[in-house]
Amino acid sequence: MSSQFKDLANLYKKNLLQDVIPFWEKYSLDLEHGGYFTCLNREGKVYDTDKFIWLQNRQLWMFSLLYNQVETRENWLKISQLGADFLGKNARDAEGNWYFSLNREGKPLVQPYNIFSDCFAAMAFSEYALALRLAEGETTSGSGSESAKKIALQAYKNVLRRQENPKGQYNKAYPGTRNLKTLAVPMILANLSLEIDWLLKSDHSKAEVLSEDIDSIIDSTIQEIMGEFLDRDTGLVYENVTPEGEHLDCFAGRLINPGHTIEAMWFIMDIAQIRLKTDKETEKQGDREQQNTDNSPIVSEFSKADEDLINLAVDVILNTLEFGWDKQYDGIYYFLDIKGHPPEQLEWNQKLWWVHLETLVALLMGYRLTGREECWQWYQKVHDYTWKHFADPEYGEWWGYCDRRGEVLLNLKGGKWKGCFHLPRALYLCWQQLEMLSSKEKAVS
Amino acid sequence: MSSQFKDLANLYKKNLLQDVIPFWEKYSLDLEHGGYFTCLNREGKVYDTDKFIWLQNRQLWMFSLLYNQVETRENWLKISQLGADFLGKNARDAEGNWYFSLNREGKPLVQPYNIFSDCFAAMAFSEYALALRLAEGETTSGSGSESAKKIALQAYKNVLRRQENPKGQYNKAYPGTRNLKTLAVPMILANLSLEIDWLLKSDHSKAEVLSEDIDSIIDSTIQEIMGEFLDRDTGLVYENVTPEGEHLDCFAGRLINPGHTIEAMWFIMDIAQIRLKTDKETEKQGDREQQNTDNSPIVSEFSKADEDLINLAVDVILNTLEFGWDKQYDGIYYFLDIKGHPPEQLEWNQKLWWVHLETLVALLMGYRLTGREECWQWYQKVHDYTWKHFADPEYGEWWGYCDRRGEVLLNLKGGKWKGCFHLPRALYLCWQQLEMLSSKEKAVS
């Protein structure tokens, strides 16, 4: 098994570093105006030059992460800087809210009609600040890093300020008749808080930004997802619920978004495993202290609550796959109605790259943390489907959109919603999970 | 040929009166709260009770039209009233703008974020006013009819007032960088103006509503569509252009919506043929007067400009079919990119009922008015495809959404966007066109 893990780890690593990242390095850089092209066809040719802020920030995040976690390649830092400079200069309105899109030259096209541009900005500039700190020297954080931190914190502040009404004046819901909140908000908050934890935990920043502790923000988002969005009867996560956590019988209320659910579950497992590691270290320290005084047995290494949380997340992933898997043509549906009614989304039965890739991350993480055999079985099935239908070894990078039968629907490697993010992040995370599985096995054998 | 026209006329008529309308009569009436259910599954079972104002108004329009044009059935008037009362009571905000949707009981759910609810309200209440006038007695228009007229005029006034910025505060475009206007606005204005012409031409109403003559509104919308949205090089109509009529190279700027184009073309032919009829009558009158004085030959029966307009509309329809027809699986695509790039709409290659039905209306109208053989050939091809894939003789009514291969995508006869409108209107109009073709042939033979 260990060599299988190792082989798979190498497959993901090789695809990331020798196929996907080179594609973006080669085709996506706008050396004239700054920022990145994301609308790339199969061959990497730019077919549209608009700059979508989600994707600009996500690519900045990705290249900064590679620099921070994989290798301090000068070129990855330069590519990060190309995006960061363009974004820092053009992407915010007078109040500091992040636009949805700009034209190639950086002029605003679409207003800041939601908080997700700000979320990805906070993630991106936080990771970029780490990259600059690394480049500038660990000990004395330079002015570039400080300025990136400031941008990240301001964006995070926007998100917290606007989280109760993320769409502001663009919210079309008539107040009071039927209030719904969406999974996307606590989900992104959970992931984001973890991402910028390092930044928030510096006392200076914390005082400036937060009225409550970062750990309580994380706790309450997990509570919201697992206590309100998750339906304990079906074991499925609803995409929209009332502010009180009620599940309503209407189009939005019946919506299940399997990819979103599964991605949220690995965010939650990720938080839980970090807390477990901390617990473990604290306990070990406790043990050491204890061993000094008596010979009582070592206490449990894991906190029960976080173990339960991980197991619950795995349950939800498995339930969602059972519910969301296309038994006729394979693959995971994009949208479903919990009652089996027709969803309002015409694209409901399509197969999307990110849904399948986030599922691979979730299954490997679930398997590594729990050892549950169903995770490994599902992982193999989803792995086979995903690599067969989305990877494009002939031209590099992956297809994004397939129809129900798994046939390519759009001749693109990037567009308005697909950029340099879900695919390379998932390849990186799968590679990491598989490396850990491989070392664990080695350690055991 | 005449008997073929007659047989086809009977097919459409029979489907309308013995299949489609009975389906809505049987399943769509909310006798408890008023208005109509539109979310009906294959068997007619209600799967969602929200009331979408476009569809509520369109069903009101349809039943009023049946009462006015087909037969003064008491039940059709009652069904109209069920919708009109519900809408009149619940569907407008304090400023008289029409909401997008209400819950079953009539409480507002989604704000008036566009002018299309108002457009369909004007159409619906205008037709309903005619129905009430017919019911109340042609000579003395009763108070019901007057009140419906008032609602129609107020809605029309909203449309004219808001046409330059149809989305108001919900418009997400940043002002100035890239202004685009959409075909939907002049298209709906052309059709709407014709629909409520009778109402506007009463002097009283005209003075109240219009700063310019209704005929100049119609002229300028036709000029806008044929002069700005239509690209003379490709012979195709763009869905979005700048206010100056420029065609831009961006997602929205490259978009072709074949169904919309073709529907707009029959609206324009409809206007042109009415003007031709008027010309013809005027000329005949002129002839009679002329015959009294000399024996010069009869002058051309048709106005050249409107003849040219009809021919141009037919050209555009044929170009659009050439461009928008799926050569592999048949049927007309939902969305295309003029340059062949991937469209942003994931549903781009689906086959929708309304696209095909509006095309049948357009082709029959084009054939009747020009006699061009290509219209008849395309008509037969589209007729075969449409009846084969969308009609559902087993359960009644028609499917709305098929995938690229023509397989049913959603188990519904009605939903958030499909109601009692495109299908029955097209069946009615095809029946009428075919009747006229049949009489014309008889007159000739």
Side-chain angles (χ1 to χ4, degrees), chain A residues 48 50 108-111 169 172 174 177-178 250-251 254 342 344 346 348-350 405 407 409-411 416, chain B residues 48 50 108-111 169 172 174 177-178 250-251 254 342 344 346 348-350 405 407 409-410 416:
Chain A
D48 194 279
D50 283 355
L109 280 173
V110 175
Q111 300 277 16
Q169 72 169 91
K172 296 174 192 161
Y174 185 89
T177 312
R178 181 191 292 159
C250 59
F251 280 103
R254 292 188 302 266
E344 61 177 316
L346 297 186
W348 72 277
N349 69 7
Q350 295 176 7
R405 294 171 189 243
E407 289 179 18
L409 184 76
L410 291 171
N411 173 39
K416 186 170 171 177
Chain B
D48 194 280
D50 284 354
L109 281 174
V110 175
Q111 300 278 16
Q169 71 169 95
K172 296 174 193 162
Y174 185 88
T177 312
R178 182 191 291 158
C250 59
F251 280 103
R254 291 188 303 266
E344 62 176 315
L346 298 185
W348 72 276
N349 69 7
Q350 295 176 7
R405 294 170 188 246
E407 288 179 18
L409 183 77
L410 291 171
K416 186 170 172 179

Short mmCIF file of all heavy atoms in Angstrom, two decimals, chain A residues 48 50 108-111 169 172 174 177-178 250-251 254 342 344 346 348-350 405 407 409-411 416, chain B residues 48 50 108-111 169 172 174 177-178 250-251 254 342 344 346 348-350 405 407 409-410 416:
data_model
loop_
_atom_site.label_atom_id
_atom_site.label_comp_id
_atom_site.label_asym_id
_atom_site.label_seq_id
_atom_site.Cartn_x
_atom_site.Cartn_y
_atom_site.Cartn_z
N ASP A 48 -10.47 35.85 -24.14
CA ASP A 48 -11.12 37.02 -23.54
C ASP A 48 -10.16 37.61 -22.52
O ASP A 48 -9.47 36.86 -21.82
CB ASP A 48 -12.43 36.62 -22.85
CG ASP A 48 -13.30 37.83 -22.53
OD1 ASP A 48 -13.04 38.50 -21.51
OD2 ASP A 48 -14.22 38.11 -23.31
N ASP A 50 -10.92 40.04 -20.03
CA ASP A 50 -11.45 40.59 -18.78
C ASP A 50 -10.77 39.93 -17.59
O ASP A 50 -10.37 38.77 -17.65
CB ASP A 50 -12.97 40.39 -18.69
CG ASP A 50 -13.72 41.38 -19.57
OD1 ASP A 50 -13.08 42.27 -20.16
OD2 ASP A 50 -14.96 41.25 -19.67
N PRO A 108 -12.71 49.30 -13.59
CA PRO A 108 -13.80 48.47 -13.05
C PRO A 108 -14.91 48.21 -14.05
O PRO A 108 -15.36 49.12 -14.75
CB PRO A 108 -14.32 49.29 -11.87
CG PRO A 108 -13.78 50.66 -12.03
CD PRO A 108 -12.54 50.56 -12.85
N LEU A 109 -15.37 46.96 -14.10
CA LEU A 109 -16.49 46.58 -14.96
C LEU A 109 -17.72 46.24 -14.15
O LEU A 109 -18.82 46.68 -14.45
CB LEU A 109 -16.11 45.34 -15.79
CG LEU A 109 -15.24 45.54 -17.02
CD1 LEU A 109 -14.85 44.19 -17.60
CD2 LEU A 109 -15.97 46.39 -18.06
N VAL A 110 -17.53 45.40 -13.13
CA VAL A 110 -18.68 44.96 -12.34
C VAL A 110 -18.44 45.28 -10.86
O VAL A 110 -17.38 45.00 -10.31
CB VAL A 110 -18.96 43.45 -12.56
CG1 VAL A 110 -20.08 42.96 -11.65
CG2 VAL A 110 -19.33 43.19 -14.02
N GLN A 111 -19.44 45.88 -10.27
CA GLN A 111 -19.39 46.40 -8.89
C GLN A 111 -19.11 45.30 -7.86
O GLN A 111 -19.31 44.12 -8.15
CB GLN A 111 -20.74 47.04 -8.56
CG GLN A 111 -21.12 48.21 -9.46
CD GLN A 111 -20.50 49.52 -9.05
OE1 GLN A 111 -19.54 49.54 -8.26
NE2 GLN A 111 -21.02 50.61 -9.58
N GLN A 169 -26.79 46.30 -1.39
CA GLN A 169 -27.89 46.87 -2.18
C GLN A 169 -28.31 45.96 -3.34
O GLN A 169 -29.36 46.16 -3.94
CB GLN A 169 -27.50 48.23 -2.74
CG GLN A 169 -26.46 48.14 -3.87
CD GLN A 169 -26.27 49.45 -4.62
OE1 GLN A 169 -25.42 50.27 -4.28
NE2 GLN A 169 -27.07 49.66 -5.66
N LYS A 172 -31.69 40.98 -3.86
CA LYS A 172 -33.02 41.13 -4.46
C LYS A 172 -34.14 40.58 -3.59
O LYS A 172 -35.31 40.70 -3.93
CB LYS A 172 -33.06 40.40 -5.81
CG LYS A 172 -32.12 40.98 -6.84
CD LYS A 172 -32.15 40.07 -8.08
CE LYS A 172 -31.03 40.41 -9.05
NZ LYS A 172 -30.79 39.29 -9.99
N TYR A 174 -36.91 40.30 -0.96
CA TYR A 174 -37.77 41.23 -0.23
C TYR A 174 -37.62 40.92 1.26
O TYR A 174 -37.79 39.76 1.66
CB TYR A 174 -39.22 41.05 -0.67
CG TYR A 174 -40.16 42.05 -0.05
CD1 TYR A 174 -40.39 43.28 -0.68
CD2 TYR A 174 -40.81 41.78 1.15
CE1 TYR A 174 -41.26 44.20 -0.12
CE2 TYR A 174 -41.67 42.71 1.71
CZ TYR A 174 -41.90 43.92 1.08
OH TYR A 174 -42.74 44.83 1.64
N THR A 177 -40.10 38.22 4.12
CA THR A 177 -41.00 37.13 3.72
C THR A 177 -40.33 35.76 3.86
O THR A 177 -40.92 34.83 4.40
CB THR A 177 -41.47 37.29 2.25
OG1 THR A 177 -41.91 38.62 2.04
CG2 THR A 177 -42.58 36.31 1.92
N ARG A 178 -39.12 35.67 3.35
CA ARG A 178 -38.43 34.38 3.41
C ARG A 178 -36.93 34.65 3.47
O ARG A 178 -36.29 34.82 2.44
CB ARG A 178 -38.77 33.54 2.18
CG ARG A 178 -38.11 32.17 2.18
CD ARG A 178 -38.26 31.49 0.84
NE ARG A 178 -39.64 31.12 0.56
CZ ARG A 178 -40.11 30.89 -0.66
NH1 ARG A 178 -39.30 31.02 -1.70
NH2 ARG A 178 -41.37 30.56 -0.85
N CYS A 250 -38.70 25.22 -0.83
CA CYS A 250 -38.75 26.12 -1.99
C CYS A 250 -37.49 25.81 -2.81
O CYS A 250 -36.65 25.04 -2.36
CB CYS A 250 -38.79 27.58 -1.55
SG CYS A 250 -37.36 28.08 -0.57
N PHE A 251 -37.39 26.38 -4.02
CA PHE A 251 -36.25 26.03 -4.89
C PHE A 251 -34.92 26.13 -4.14
O PHE A 251 -34.16 25.16 -4.08
CB PHE A 251 -36.21 26.91 -6.14
CG PHE A 251 -37.16 26.48 -7.22
CD1 PHE A 251 -38.35 27.16 -7.43
CD2 PHE A 251 -36.87 25.38 -8.01
CE1 PHE A 251 -39.24 26.76 -8.43
CE2 PHE A 251 -37.74 24.97 -9.01
CZ PHE A 251 -38.94 25.67 -9.22
N ARG A 254 -34.54 23.69 -1.16
CA ARG A 254 -34.38 22.25 -1.44
C ARG A 254 -33.04 21.91 -2.09
O ARG A 254 -32.74 20.75 -2.36
CB ARG A 254 -35.51 21.78 -2.38
CG ARG A 254 -36.90 21.78 -1.76
CD ARG A 254 -37.93 21.10 -2.70
NE ARG A 254 -37.99 21.74 -3.99
CZ ARG A 254 -38.85 22.69 -4.33
NH1 ARG A 254 -39.75 23.13 -3.47
NH2 ARG A 254 -38.83 23.22 -5.55
N PRO A 342 -37.41 18.88 -10.07
CA PRO A 342 -36.46 19.49 -11.02
C PRO A 342 -35.78 20.70 -10.38
O PRO A 342 -36.47 21.60 -9.89
CB PRO A 342 -37.35 19.94 -12.18
CG PRO A 342 -38.71 19.40 -11.94
CD PRO A 342 -38.81 18.96 -10.53
N GLU A 344 -33.79 24.32 -10.31
CA GLU A 344 -33.94 25.45 -11.23
C GLU A 344 -32.69 25.65 -12.11
O GLU A 344 -32.76 26.31 -13.13
CB GLU A 344 -34.29 26.75 -10.50
CG GLU A 344 -33.26 27.20 -9.50
CD GLU A 344 -33.62 28.55 -8.83
OE1 GLU A 344 -34.05 29.47 -9.53
OE2 GLU A 344 -33.46 28.65 -7.60
N LEU A 346 -30.27 24.85 -14.87
CA LEU A 346 -30.30 24.03 -16.08
C LEU A 346 -29.05 23.16 -16.20
O LEU A 346 -29.05 22.14 -16.88
CB LEU A 346 -30.45 24.91 -17.31
CG LEU A 346 -31.74 25.73 -17.39
CD1 LEU A 346 -31.83 26.46 -18.73
CD2 LEU A 346 -32.97 24.84 -17.21
N TRP A 348 -27.74 21.41 -13.92
CA TRP A 348 -27.73 20.55 -12.75
C TRP A 348 -27.01 19.22 -12.95
O TRP A 348 -26.35 18.73 -12.04
CB TRP A 348 -29.17 20.29 -12.26
CG TRP A 348 -29.96 19.38 -13.15
CD1 TRP A 348 -30.63 19.73 -14.28
CD2 TRP A 348 -30.14 17.97 -12.99
NE1 TRP A 348 -31.21 18.64 -14.84
CE2 TRP A 348 -30.93 17.54 -14.07
CE3 TRP A 348 -29.70 17.04 -12.04
CZ2 TRP A 348 -31.30 16.20 -14.24
CZ3 TRP A 348 -30.07 15.71 -12.21
CH2 TRP A 348 -30.86 15.31 -13.29
N ASN A 349 -27.12 18.62 -14.12
CA ASN A 349 -26.55 17.27 -14.27
C ASN A 349 -25.15 17.25 -14.88
O ASN A 349 -24.63 16.19 -15.22
CB ASN A 349 -27.52 16.35 -15.03
CG ASN A 349 -27.67 16.73 -16.49
OD1 ASN A 349 -26.95 17.59 -16.98
ND2 ASN A 349 -28.58 16.09 -17.19
N GLN A 350 -24.56 18.45 -15.01
CA GLN A 350 -23.21 18.50 -15.58
C GLN A 350 -22.18 18.04 -14.56
O GLN A 350 -22.42 18.02 -13.36
CB GLN A 350 -22.92 19.92 -16.09
CG GLN A 350 -23.84 20.29 -17.26
CD GLN A 350 -23.68 21.71 -17.75
OE1 GLN A 350 -22.79 22.44 -17.31
NE2 GLN A 350 -24.55 22.11 -18.66
N ARG A 405 -22.79 12.95 -19.58
CA ARG A 405 -22.12 11.72 -20.03
C ARG A 405 -20.61 11.79 -19.90
O ARG A 405 -19.90 10.86 -20.30
CB ARG A 405 -22.46 11.47 -21.50
CG ARG A 405 -23.92 11.15 -21.71
CD ARG A 405 -24.24 11.13 -23.21
NE ARG A 405 -25.67 11.04 -23.42
CZ ARG A 405 -26.28 10.02 -24.02
NH1 ARG A 405 -25.57 9.01 -24.47
NH2 ARG A 405 -27.58 10.01 -24.17
N GLU A 407 -18.74 14.02 -21.47
CA GLU A 407 -18.10 14.58 -22.67
C GLU A 407 -17.85 16.07 -22.48
O GLU A 407 -18.66 16.78 -21.88
CB GLU A 407 -19.00 14.34 -23.89
CG GLU A 407 -19.01 12.88 -24.27
CD GLU A 407 -19.91 12.58 -25.47
OE1 GLU A 407 -20.27 13.52 -26.20
OE2 GLU A 407 -20.27 11.41 -25.64
N LEU A 409 -17.79 19.86 -22.54
CA LEU A 409 -18.90 20.77 -22.87
C LEU A 409 -18.40 22.11 -23.38
O LEU A 409 -19.07 22.76 -24.18
CB LEU A 409 -19.72 21.00 -21.59
CG LEU A 409 -20.96 21.83 -21.66
CD1 LEU A 409 -22.08 21.02 -22.30
CD2 LEU A 409 -21.39 22.29 -20.28
N LEU A 410 -17.27 22.55 -22.89
CA LEU A 410 -16.71 23.85 -23.27
C LEU A 410 -15.23 23.70 -23.58
O LEU A 410 -14.48 23.13 -22.78
CB LEU A 410 -16.88 24.86 -22.12
CG LEU A 410 -18.30 25.32 -21.80
CD1 LEU A 410 -18.31 26.13 -20.51
CD2 LEU A 410 -18.89 26.15 -22.93
N ASN A 411 -14.83 24.26 -24.71
CA ASN A 411 -13.44 24.16 -25.15
C ASN A 411 -12.58 25.18 -24.40
O ASN A 411 -12.17 26.18 -24.96
CB ASN A 411 -13.38 24.40 -26.66
CG ASN A 411 -11.95 24.48 -27.14
OD1 ASN A 411 -11.08 23.74 -26.68
ND2 ASN A 411 -11.68 25.40 -28.05
N LYS A 416 -14.41 32.42 -16.97
CA LYS A 416 -14.86 33.43 -16.01
C LYS A 416 -14.83 32.88 -14.59
O LYS A 416 -14.71 33.61 -13.62
CB LYS A 416 -16.28 33.84 -16.40
CG LYS A 416 -16.86 34.97 -15.62
CD LYS A 416 -18.17 35.43 -16.26
CE LYS A 416 -18.88 36.43 -15.37
NZ LYS A 416 -20.11 36.94 -16.02
N ASP B 48 -43.89 23.09 -6.55
CA ASP B 48 -43.47 24.32 -5.87
C ASP B 48 -44.60 25.34 -6.02
O ASP B 48 -45.22 25.41 -7.09
CB ASP B 48 -42.17 24.86 -6.46
CG ASP B 48 -41.53 25.92 -5.57
OD1 ASP B 48 -41.98 27.09 -5.61
OD2 ASP B 48 -40.62 25.58 -4.82
N ASP B 50 -44.41 28.83 -5.34
CA ASP B 50 -44.08 30.24 -5.54
C ASP B 50 -44.75 30.77 -6.81
O ASP B 50 -44.98 30.02 -7.75
CB ASP B 50 -42.56 30.44 -5.63
CG ASP B 50 -41.90 30.36 -4.26
OD1 ASP B 50 -42.62 30.26 -3.24
OD2 ASP B 50 -40.65 30.39 -4.21
N PRO B 108 -44.59 39.42 -1.10
CA PRO B 108 -43.45 39.59 -2.00
C PRO B 108 -42.22 38.79 -1.57
O PRO B 108 -41.87 38.77 -0.39
CB PRO B 108 -43.15 41.09 -1.94
CG PRO B 108 -43.89 41.63 -0.79
CD PRO B 108 -45.03 40.69 -0.51
N LEU B 109 -41.59 38.15 -2.55
CA LEU B 109 -40.35 37.39 -2.29
C LEU B 109 -39.15 38.07 -2.93
O LEU B 109 -38.13 38.22 -2.30
CB LEU B 109 -40.46 35.98 -2.89
CG LEU B 109 -41.25 34.95 -2.11
CD1 LEU B 109 -41.37 33.68 -2.94
CD2 LEU B 109 -40.57 34.65 -0.77
N VAL B 110 -39.29 38.42 -4.20
CA VAL B 110 -38.15 39.02 -4.91
C VAL B 110 -38.57 40.38 -5.48
O VAL B 110 -39.62 40.52 -6.11
CB VAL B 110 -37.63 38.06 -6.00
CG1 VAL B 110 -36.52 38.73 -6.81
CG2 VAL B 110 -37.10 36.77 -5.38
N GLN B 111 -37.71 41.36 -5.24
CA GLN B 111 -37.97 42.76 -5.57
C GLN B 111 -38.16 42.99 -7.08
O GLN B 111 -37.75 42.15 -7.89
CB GLN B 111 -36.76 43.60 -5.12
CG GLN B 111 -36.47 43.54 -3.62
CD GLN B 111 -37.34 44.49 -2.81
OE1 GLN B 111 -38.35 44.99 -3.32
NE2 GLN B 111 -36.96 44.73 -1.56
N GLN B 169 -31.29 50.04 -9.21
CA GLN B 169 -30.23 49.87 -8.20
C GLN B 169 -29.58 48.49 -8.27
O GLN B 169 -28.52 48.27 -7.68
CB GLN B 169 -30.77 50.08 -6.80
CG GLN B 169 -31.70 48.94 -6.33
CD GLN B 169 -32.04 48.99 -4.85
OE1 GLN B 169 -33.06 49.53 -4.46
NE2 GLN B 169 -31.17 48.43 -4.02
N LYS B 172 -25.44 45.89 -11.82
CA LYS B 172 -24.10 45.68 -11.26
C LYS B 172 -22.98 46.27 -12.11
O LYS B 172 -21.82 46.24 -11.70
CB LYS B 172 -23.83 44.18 -11.11
CG LYS B 172 -24.75 43.47 -10.14
CD LYS B 172 -24.49 41.97 -10.19
CE LYS B 172 -25.57 41.18 -9.49
NZ LYS B 172 -25.54 39.76 -9.92
N TYR B 174 -20.42 48.72 -13.58
CA TYR B 174 -19.79 49.97 -13.14
C TYR B 174 -20.01 51.00 -14.24
O TYR B 174 -19.72 50.74 -15.41
CB TYR B 174 -18.29 49.73 -12.92
CG TYR B 174 -17.57 50.92 -12.35
CD1 TYR B 174 -17.49 51.11 -10.98
CD2 TYR B 174 -16.97 51.85 -13.19
CE1 TYR B 174 -16.83 52.21 -10.45
CE2 TYR B 174 -16.31 52.95 -12.67
CZ TYR B 174 -16.24 53.12 -11.30
OH TYR B 174 -15.59 54.21 -10.79
N THR B 177 -17.40 52.28 -17.87
CA THR B 177 -16.31 51.49 -18.48
C THR B 177 -16.79 50.77 -19.74
O THR B 177 -16.11 50.80 -20.77
CB THR B 177 -15.77 50.43 -17.49
OG1 THR B 177 -15.52 51.05 -16.24
CG2 THR B 177 -14.49 49.82 -18.02
N ARG B 178 -17.91 50.11 -19.62
CA ARG B 178 -18.41 49.36 -20.78
C ARG B 178 -19.92 49.32 -20.70
O ARG B 178 -20.49 48.47 -20.04
CB ARG B 178 -17.84 47.94 -20.76
CG ARG B 178 -18.27 47.11 -21.96
CD ARG B 178 -17.90 45.65 -21.77
NE ARG B 178 -16.48 45.43 -21.81
CZ ARG B 178 -15.87 44.37 -21.28
NH1 ARG B 178 -16.58 43.45 -20.65
NH2 ARG B 178 -14.56 44.23 -21.37
N CYS B 250 -16.37 40.94 -25.99
CA CYS B 250 -16.36 40.47 -24.59
C CYS B 250 -17.49 39.44 -24.49
O CYS B 250 -18.25 39.28 -25.44
CB CYS B 250 -16.59 41.63 -23.62
SG CYS B 250 -18.15 42.49 -23.87
N PHE B 251 -17.58 38.73 -23.36
CA PHE B 251 -18.57 37.65 -23.26
C PHE B 251 -19.97 38.13 -23.69
O PHE B 251 -20.58 37.54 -24.59
CB PHE B 251 -18.65 37.09 -21.84
CG PHE B 251 -17.56 36.11 -21.51
CD1 PHE B 251 -16.48 36.47 -20.73
CD2 PHE B 251 -17.61 34.82 -22.01
CE1 PHE B 251 -15.47 35.56 -20.42
CE2 PHE B 251 -16.61 33.89 -21.72
CZ PHE B 251 -15.53 34.27 -20.92
N ARG B 254 -20.21 39.20 -27.39
CA ARG B 254 -20.12 38.17 -28.43
C ARG B 254 -21.34 37.24 -28.46
O ARG B 254 -21.44 36.34 -29.30
CB ARG B 254 -18.86 37.31 -28.21
CG ARG B 254 -17.54 38.03 -28.46
CD ARG B 254 -16.35 37.05 -28.41
NE ARG B 254 -16.28 36.34 -27.15
CZ ARG B 254 -15.55 36.70 -26.10
NH1 ARG B 254 -14.82 37.80 -26.17
NH2 ARG B 254 -15.54 35.99 -24.99
N PRO B 342 -15.92 29.66 -26.18
CA PRO B 342 -16.87 29.07 -25.24
C PRO B 342 -17.77 30.15 -24.65
O PRO B 342 -17.26 31.14 -24.13
CB PRO B 342 -15.98 28.47 -24.15
CG PRO B 342 -14.56 28.60 -24.61
CD PRO B 342 -14.52 29.54 -25.74
N GLU B 344 -20.28 31.85 -21.85
CA GLU B 344 -20.24 31.73 -20.39
C GLU B 344 -21.43 30.93 -19.85
O GLU B 344 -21.40 30.45 -18.72
CB GLU B 344 -20.14 33.10 -19.71
CG GLU B 344 -21.32 34.01 -19.96
CD GLU B 344 -21.21 35.34 -19.19
OE1 GLU B 344 -20.88 35.32 -17.99
OE2 GLU B 344 -21.50 36.39 -19.78
N LEU B 346 -23.45 27.84 -19.17
CA LEU B 346 -23.20 26.40 -19.17
C LEU B 346 -24.29 25.63 -19.92
O LEU B 346 -24.08 24.52 -20.39
CB LEU B 346 -23.09 25.87 -17.74
CG LEU B 346 -21.94 26.45 -16.91
CD1 LEU B 346 -21.86 25.76 -15.56
CD2 LEU B 346 -20.61 26.31 -17.65
N TRP B 348 -25.50 26.38 -22.74
CA TRP B 348 -25.47 26.89 -24.12
C TRP B 348 -25.96 25.89 -25.16
O TRP B 348 -26.61 26.27 -26.13
CB TRP B 348 -24.06 27.37 -24.48
CG TRP B 348 -23.07 26.26 -24.66
CD1 TRP B 348 -22.36 25.62 -23.69
CD2 TRP B 348 -22.69 25.64 -25.89
NE1 TRP B 348 -21.57 24.64 -24.23
CE2 TRP B 348 -21.74 24.63 -25.58
CE3 TRP B 348 -23.05 25.84 -27.24
CZ2 TRP B 348 -21.16 23.82 -26.57
CZ3 TRP B 348 -22.47 25.03 -28.21
CH2 TRP B 348 -21.53 24.04 -27.87
N ASN B 349 -25.67 24.61 -24.99
CA ASN B 349 -26.01 23.66 -26.08
C ASN B 349 -27.33 22.93 -25.86
O ASN B 349 -27.66 22.00 -26.59
CB ASN B 349 -24.85 22.69 -26.33
CG ASN B 349 -24.66 21.69 -25.19
OD1 ASN B 349 -25.46 21.63 -24.26
ND2 ASN B 349 -23.59 20.91 -25.26
N GLN B 350 -28.08 23.37 -24.85
CA GLN B 350 -29.38 22.72 -24.60
C GLN B 350 -30.41 23.17 -25.63
O GLN B 350 -30.28 24.20 -26.28
CB GLN B 350 -29.84 23.03 -23.17
CG GLN B 350 -28.89 22.40 -22.14
CD GLN B 350 -29.23 22.75 -20.70
OE1 GLN B 350 -30.25 23.37 -20.41
NE2 GLN B 350 -28.36 22.35 -19.79
N ARG B 405 -28.60 16.37 -27.00
CA ARG B 405 -29.05 15.23 -27.82
C ARG B 405 -30.56 15.14 -27.96
O ARG B 405 -31.08 14.21 -28.56
CB ARG B 405 -28.55 13.93 -27.18
CG ARG B 405 -27.04 13.80 -27.19
CD ARG B 405 -26.61 12.62 -26.35
NE ARG B 405 -25.18 12.59 -26.19
CZ ARG B 405 -24.37 11.63 -26.69
NH1 ARG B 405 -24.89 10.63 -27.34
NH2 ARG B 405 -23.07 11.69 -26.51
N GLU B 407 -32.61 14.76 -25.40
CA GLU B 407 -33.23 13.98 -24.32
C GLU B 407 -33.72 14.90 -23.21
O GLU B 407 -33.06 15.90 -22.90
CB GLU B 407 -32.20 12.98 -23.76
CG GLU B 407 -31.94 11.86 -24.75
CD GLU B 407 -30.91 10.86 -24.24
OE1 GLU B 407 -30.65 10.83 -23.03
OE2 GLU B 407 -30.37 10.13 -25.08
N LEU B 409 -34.36 16.88 -20.04
CA LEU B 409 -33.39 17.28 -19.03
C LEU B 409 -34.04 17.50 -17.68
O LEU B 409 -33.42 17.29 -16.63
CB LEU B 409 -32.71 18.58 -19.49
CG LEU B 409 -31.61 19.15 -18.65
CD1 LEU B 409 -30.33 18.36 -18.88
CD2 LEU B 409 -31.36 20.61 -19.00
N LEU B 410 -35.27 17.98 -17.69
CA LEU B 410 -35.97 18.28 -16.44
C LEU B 410 -37.38 17.72 -16.51
O LEU B 410 -38.10 17.95 -17.49
CB LEU B 410 -36.06 19.80 -16.23
CG LEU B 410 -34.76 20.54 -15.92
CD1 LEU B 410 -34.97 22.04 -15.96
CD2 LEU B 410 -34.21 20.13 -14.54
N LYS B 416 -40.08 27.78 -13.05
CA LYS B 416 -39.87 29.18 -12.71
C LYS B 416 -39.93 30.05 -13.96
O LYS B 416 -40.21 31.23 -13.89
CB LYS B 416 -38.50 29.29 -12.04
CG LYS B 416 -38.16 30.64 -11.48
CD LYS B 416 -36.90 30.55 -10.64
CE LYS B 416 -36.42 31.94 -10.23
NZ LYS B 416 -35.22 31.87 -9.38
#
